[in-house]
Each structure stands twice: as C-alpha cells, then as structure tokens.
Amino acid sequence: MKYVLVTGGVVSGLGKGVTASSIGVVLKACGLRVTSIKIDPYLNTDAGTMSPFEHGEVFVLDDGGEVDLDLGNYERFLDIKLTCDNNITTGKIYQSVIDKERRGDYLGKTVQVVPHITDAIQEWIEHVAVIPVDGKEGPADVCVIELGGTIGATVYSKNNGNGILDAGDIESMPFIEALGQFSYRVGPGNFCLVHVSLVPVLNVVGEQKTKPTQHSVRGLRGLGLTPNILACRSAKVLEENVKEKLSQFCHVPAANIITLNDVTNIWHIPLLLRDQKAHEAILKVLNLQRVAREPKLEEWMNRAKLCDALHDPVRIAMVGKYTGLSDSYLSVLKALLHASVACRKKLVVDWVPSTDLEENTAKEAPDAYNAAWNLLKGADGILVPGGFGDRGVQGKILAAKYARENNVPYLGICLGMQIAVIDFARSVMNLWDANSTEFDPDTRTPCVVFMPEGSKTHMGGTMRLGSRRTYFHVTDCKSVKLYGNVSYVDERHRHRYEVNPDMVAEFESAGLAFVGKDETGKRMEIIELPAHPYFVGVQFHPEFKSRPGQPSALFSGLIAASCGQLDALLQNPSHLNKPIKAKISSNGVFSPKVYQNGHQKGHTHKPANNLVNGNYYSNDWFHLRSPLRREV
C-alpha cells in the first residue's frame, strides 16, 4: 500500500479537501485504484451532533456514518463509497483505546498518548486503507490521507513574547506524531507528503510573498514531517523566481512545487495538477512510474470547459435557516450544479433565509422581508433542504405553499418534504392546527411524528441513518420516470421524524400522492402532487449520491422543470449520464425544445450578469445571491 498525506499550513480554508480529492482523481486517471481517509482532530466521535455553523454540512454515508463534508468531496470526485471508518477523529481513537484498556488488553501497562494513542492511529489507517471502496475486490493501490487543521503557525502568549510553534490545534499533536512514525514505519517509496500552503500577494507591493510558506514548512519539519511536494495556493501562477526561492529555503525540488491558482471552477484543479506534472512527482516518490500510465482526463477537461461556457441561467431559490454559510448545504449545491450542467444551464442560487419570509420580519425588518419574497418570486424553482429545530419553519411552509399555488417547480428534502405535508394539511385539507410534533409536541393534528425507534435522550447516532430502500407504489409518476422506471431505489437518510402513517389515507384522498414507501409500506418516502408541473418531496437526501457525471435524478427533475426541459427528460432520463463530448456550442447554451411545464406563467429570465447584490465566486461556476440581511 502506498500513502499520500495532504497537510495544510499558514491558514485554514486553503482547499486541502479539494486538493486531496484532485490528487486522487489524477492518480485514478493514471490507472491506479485510490481510497481516501480524512483525519479530524476534534474530540467529537463524529460530525453528527455539530451545528452546520461549526463545521459545515454533515455528510451521510451508505453505512450511516455522519462524517466531515470533505468525504463528500472524495466520493464525488473519485466516484467511490466510503465508510464511517474513513473519517478518523480524536474521539474515535480515544474511545477505542479506552475500550481496550477496560478490557485489559494492555496487560496492566500505563496507557499513554505515546505509544498507545499513536499506535492506535497508525493501526486504524492501515486497517481502513485496505478496505475496497470502488466496488472491486482487493485493496486499493494508493490511500490519500487528509490531515485536518493547520500546521506550522506561530502563536504568541503573554508569557512568551518570542512566540511558540503551534501545530494547528493542540489535539492535532498525537496525529502529527503518529504520522511521523508512520512515514518511517512504511518506509521510503511508500509515503509521499503534499503540503498545501499559501503564497499571498500584498496589494501594496504586488509581490508574491514566500515567508508564510517558509515558516510553515520549517514548522512541519520541526515536527518530524518532511514535505515531498508543495502545493501553493495563490491568486496567480507562481513566478519562476518564487519557485526557486521556495525550493532553496524549503528543500523541495522546483519541479515538485505546484501552483494551485484561482480557477473558474473546481473541476480545473485535477487538470492543473496534471499540467504541472504533479502525478509524475508523486509517482516518483512512491516508486510507481512503471505501474502507472499517463492520466486520461478528457471527460474532466470537457466538463470544466463546458462549465465555463454556460451562460443561460436557471435560478433556484434555496430556502433555509443556515443560508449565512453555504457549506451548510454543500452537497445540495453540488447536486444542483451537476444537474444544471447536465441540462446545459448556468446555475444561479438565490439564498432566501426562511425567517425573512415570515410575518414577524415584515413588521421588524420590512426591507429584508420584501427582498426575500422578491427573490422567491423571481426564481425558476424552489428548494427547501433538510434541517432541525423550529426557527424559520413557518417561512419554509410559506415557500412550499407559494410553489404549490403558483405552479413553481419544488423539491423538498427531508424537512422540506415534511413542511410540504404540513402546508397541504393546513391549506388544502383545512386542518389549520396541523403541525409536526418536533415543533409543537401538543398539536391536536400531528401530521409529522417522532419515529418510535428513535431516542429522545441521546442525540449522537440515534437517527434513521444511511442507505435505505424505497419502493415505488405508483408506476406513472415523475419520480419513477426520472429514476428510469425502476421498482425501487436506495438513498441515504438522516431523520428522526416521519409523516404520520395514521393520516396517510386522509392525505391521499385529498390528492397528495405518496408514490414511494419503505419496505413495510408504512413509512412515507416520496410525495408528489400529480397535477403540479413538478412538486416532489423526499424523506431521504438524494444529494449525497449525486456525481458530476451522474446527477441525482430528482435534482435533474427540478432543474429540467425550472428551465422547461422536464417533458424531454422524462422521455429519456438516461441522456444526462452520457459522457460530455469535447465539442461545445459557441455560447455554451444547450437549446432543446422548450416545454411549458416548469415555467411560471408570464415569468421571464433575468440575465445572470446583471445581478443586484450578487456575488460571483471565482472558484466555482455559479452565482450566489442573498437578500438584504439584517443583524440578528
């Protein structure tokens, strides 16, 4: 087994996860089998109990693991299926060591960080690295390991005016020590360290500065880890004299110093690595030159070029409570992107804080209220993602009601499905006190209830998690057609509440179709409004299995309905999964026959380049807009 360790220095948020994923893509394109591990030094056992504001979204795996969002990047880039053991945390390591101590496995020895914790880390890595994740038998050829946190920063304290070297977070120290030992344990030719660092440009002088990277590498070497390759984040391509300076002071060959400059979309990153021969440097360190071939990345190149060429916009209003941090809905954004690119549309995401749609905001902050409703009414489609808690729920219900009454394409995920059911009960069935017991435990009309197998005393790992099978009970519906007329689908779940099974018959008689159910037929998984152009709610999270070349069926349906392509898609849903060809039309716009369903009557598109209060992100290919915000 060969190992590639990716670390980060200077500052956080440099893109270690995307870099690690892109390294895996290039190595896979060289004909090697690749697996991935993410190390998170926090004390939590997993990411399941953390707020999205703390660490971004919680990504859910097939086995029910609630893990860091970077594992979502690995799965999307490499098209693999990871397990919860591919995410190592301090909490998991200490828990396993304490369990061994309680069983007496250490035979009376004093249990210490070194060697017991560090040995446990190394053993975990070796065990997980050989588990196949690509559907084939036998272990992978290369394991890419990302170490979370920042290495080699300098911090100052009142008692130490000269500064002390900080290994990122204090809890990172056992992992750094373990990985230093591990590099010696596996031996030369089996371990390659890629250090991602920052080369900033000061606006005053306009010069690329190398000192932050020099200090970071010096700190890394002082901790027992020597980088083989430097991946330097910078706004522009590194100048040759800057590379020579870094090579001289960091003791890394100039050929092994890679520029990760700003790009128009992240699918260019594997191409940047390939063009700078990063794969050759890694293969040389790992003694794999004779085994690997030249990387074949034609489809990646075509997709990256297509993304840059798209101009015709499709606007999706994202109605949620965590709209202040886009990473809270990262997989949803990626699934929207995959679907929009497949439909040859440029994605424009309008962030709509659900609280701003509520009547209280109309009184307290009328500007924010009007801005939120203007965004919602100007969107081609509406998406309400998952969430927890009662803050902003009334705004989400109003968004679902607006989509239902105005024939705007709608996709509700998890909570987004549940609030659509609540709106239907209140507005269509005249059950004005209908609610979820999550928001009102004493409601007289509980149309959404707590699942009987759930725990009300423990939060971590007690939800209905992981891949579960949904059986279609209606054959002539949009969902089953989008999935390719199959009898069932396997999707990932993360929820504690469900549609009240005692009210299903009442809902169905009122016109709400439950087209997908679990194996018992008592748990509702997919809802549709048959007479609506596209109104779909799902209890599961289809975004977690969306891939660049294989967009989620239901996200594809939302995008297609939002831009008038739904009828064509329902007739031939498989065309979205075909490889992207190199030839792209001059303006990058795919122009199929326009169908009426999915368009609000009288609605017109606005040009994407005339966004008011909008932001364009250079590291991706979509627009994000937020309404006028108020301080909360």
Side-chain angles (χ1 to χ4, degrees):
M1 176 63 68
K2 309 287 185 177
Y3 300 91
V4 177
L5 173 64
V6 179
T7 60
V10 184
V11 294
S12 60
L14 288 179
K16 293 192 305 295
V18 174
T19 303
S21 301
S22 299
I23 288 172
V25 168
V26 176
L27 294 178
K28 184 177 179 180
C30 289
L32 300 171
R33 294 175 61 196
V34 181
T35 185
S36 296
I37 294 175
K38 173 67 188 296
I39 296 175
D40 285 303
Y42 47 67
L43 286 168
N44 303 65
T45 300
D46 58 33
T49 58
M50 288 192 288
S51 164
F53 286 128
E54 288 284 327
H55 229 257
E57 77 167 3
V58 177
F59 190 80
V60 179
L61 303 171
D62 268 2
D63 65 358
E66 298 172 284
V67 296
D68 184 81
L69 58 82
D70 279 320
L71 274 78
N73 279 327
Y74 306 157
E75 286 204 346
R76 284 187 290 268
F77 270 62
L78 298 172
D79 193 19
I80 55 179
K81 291 184 179 181
L82 300 173
T83 69
C84 60
D85 289 339
N86 289 85
N87 191 193
I88 304 175
T89 68
T90 298
K92 288 181 180 179
I93 294 295
Y94 274 79
Q95 191 173 53
S96 68
V97 170
I98 291 172
D99 288 344
K100 285 184 178 180
E101 185 274 331
R102 291 289 84 188
R103 291 196 303 266
D105 292 358
Y106 295 114
L107 301 177
K109 292 182 179 179
T110 302
V111 180
Q112 299 174 293
V113 173
V114 181
H116 300 101
I117 295 294
T118 53
D119 284 352
I121 294 169
Q122 296 175 68
E123 290 166 4
W124 194 302
I125 291 172
E126 287 188 321
H127 168 72
V128 174
V130 298
I131 298 174
V133 295
D134 55 3
K136 301 176 182 177
E137 294 183 358
D141 301 308
V142 180
C143 177
V144 179
I145 306 167
E146 179 192 348
L147 175 61
T150 306
I151 296 177
T154 303
V155 296
Y156 295 88
S157 65
K158 296 179 181 179
N159 300 323
N160 186 354
N162 295 324
I164 57 173
L165 185 66
D166 175 37
D169 303 314
I170 292 175
E171 59 263 30
S172 298
M173 291 299 294
F175 292 100
I176 295 169
E177 173 62 27
L179 290 166
Q181 295 178 17
F182 190 69
S183 65
Y184 177 77
R185 177 173 173 172
V186 298
N190 295 312
F191 189 89
C192 177
L193 174 53
V194 180
H195 188 58
V196 182
S197 188
L198 177 68
V199 178
V201 178
L202 299 182
N203 291 333
V204 178
V205 294
E207 180 185 358
Q208 292 176 329
K209 293 295 183 180
T210 63
K211 272 293 188 291
T213 296
Q214 291 182 43
H215 285 296
S216 180
V217 172
R218 186 182 305 157
L220 191 66
R221 294 167 69 90
L223 294 166
L225 291 170
T226 302
N228 302 104
I229 296 170
L230 284 182
C232 299
R233 283 286 289 114
S234 184
K236 298 180 180 179
V237 177
L238 290 186
E239 300 169 3
E240 286 303 317
N241 65 313
V242 173
K243 280 190 175 184
E244 292 173 2
K245 192 173 182 180
L246 286 171
S247 176
Q248 180 181 359
F249 289 101
C250 298
H251 304 170
V252 176
N256 289 13
I257 298 177
I258 309 300
T259 300
L260 296 179
N261 53 282
D262 291 349
V263 292
T264 51
N265 68 73
I266 59 173
W267 289 338
H268 281 288
I269 303 299
L271 305 177
L272 277 180
L273 296 177
R274 180 204 60 184
D275 293 344
Q276 298 176 74
K277 308 295 184 184
H279 59 287
E280 292 184 2
I282 295 172
L283 295 174
K284 183 177 180 181
V285 173
L286 298 178
N287 292 330
L288 288 173
Q289 299 104 311
R290 296 181 180 180
V291 178
R293 63 173 186 242
E294 280 298 307
K296 296 181 179 180
L297 290 169
E298 288 78 10
E299 189 172 347
W300 276 86
M301 185 174 7
N302 297 336
R303 185 179 295 113
K305 290 181 178 179
L306 173 61
C307 292
D308 292 340
L310 296 176
H311 299 295
D312 193 17
V314 56
R315 317 191 86 84
I316 301 297
M318 182 91 79
V319 183
K321 63 186 288 190
Y322 306 115
T323 54
L325 180 67
S326 61
D327 274 359
S328 300
Y329 304 112
L330 184 63
S331 290
V332 175
L333 282 174
K334 297 304 180 185
L336 285 171
L337 288 166
H338 301 160
S340 62
V341 171
C343 289
R344 305 303 193 262
K345 297 293 179 180
K346 186 176 184 67
L347 178 65
V348 180
V349 175
D350 292 333
W351 293 106
V352 182
S354 55
T355 52
D356 288 357
L357 298 172
E358 299 174 352
E359 291 300 323
N360 288 339
T361 305
K363 301 174 183 177
E364 299 171 1
D367 289 343
Y369 177 82
N370 292 329
W373 273 103
N374 287 337
L375 283 181
L376 189 74
K377 292 178 180 179
D380 300 315
I382 296 173
L383 190 151
V384 178
F388 298 92
D390 59 357
R391 183 172 67 86
V393 164
Q394 185 57 35
K396 296 177 184 179
I397 293 173
L398 290 171
K401 180 179 181 180
Y402 175 83
R404 178 179 53 78
E405 293 181 342
N406 293 276
N407 286 335
V408 178
Y410 175 86
L411 177 60
I413 299 172
C414 198
L415 178 61
M417 167 185 158
Q418 295 171 6
I419 61 99
V421 171
I422 295 172
D423 164 61
F424 190 88
R426 292 178 180 179
S427 303
V428 178
M429 301 168 64
N430 296 320
L431 301 173
W432 298 110
D433 57 351
N435 212 335
S436 167
T437 56
E438 179 180 6
F439 315 129
D440 182 5
D442 300 321
T443 179
R444 290 181 296 175
T445 310
C447 54
V448 178
V449 296
F450 191 82
M451 291 186 298
E453 68 268 33
S455 171
K456 293 187 177 181
T457 58
H458 289 74
M459 292 184 66
T462 58
M463 288 185 279
R464 184 170 179 249
L465 294 164
S467 181
R468 307 291 178 118
R469 184 156 291 181
T470 295
Y471 292 88
F472 287 105
H473 286 245
V474 178
T475 57
D476 186 23
C477 65
K478 297 180 180 68
S479 298
V480 73
K481 291 177 182 178
L482 288 169
Y483 275 108
N485 295 308
V486 295
S487 58
Y488 63 85
V489 291
D490 295 316
E491 294 282 8
R492 299 176 183 179
H493 294 68
R494 185 176 186 251
H495 65 110
R496 284 191 177 89
Y497 292 82
E498 63 174 334
V499 175
N500 188 345
D502 295 335
M503 293 186 65
V504 169
E506 192 175 351
F507 277 117
E508 289 181 328
S509 63
L512 184 63
F514 293 96
V515 301
K517 303 178 183 180
D518 75 342
E519 66 278 0
T520 67
K522 297 180 179 179
R523 183 157 286 157
M524 303 304 108
E525 294 281 3
I526 307 175
I527 66 167
E528 285 191 19
L529 288 177
H532 194 282
Y534 190 82
F535 194 96
V536 177
V538 292
Q539 188 59 73
F540 48 79
H541 290 263
E543 69 271 22
F544 291 142
K545 295 180 74 171
S546 181
R547 302 288 183 265
Q550 297 174 324
S552 164
L554 299 178
F555 278 86
S556 298
L558 175 66
I559 295 296
S562 300
C563 59
Q565 299 178 17
L566 183 59
D567 283 354
L569 179 61
L570 292 177
Q571 292 172 15
N572 184 21
S574 62
H575 87 273
L576 291 179
N577 297 329
K578 292 181 180 179
I580 296 174
K581 297 181 180 180
K583 186 177 181 180
I584 301 172
S585 59
S586 59
N587 62 354
V589 178
F590 176 64
S591 302
K593 181 180 178 182
V594 177
Y595 293 85
Q596 288 303 313
N597 60 327
H599 274 302
Q600 183 183 349
K601 187 176 181 180
H603 180 71
T604 57
H605 290 284
K606 299 176 183 178
N609 57 354
N610 291 330
L611 296 180
V612 181
N613 298 327
N615 294 311
Y616 181 77
Y617 287 73
S618 61
N619 66 335
D620 238 315
W621 60 96
F622 59 95
H623 288 84
L624 300 177
R625 294 205 307 167
S626 297
L628 188 64
R629 297 305 309 277
R630 69 186 191 281
E631 295 297 326
V632 179

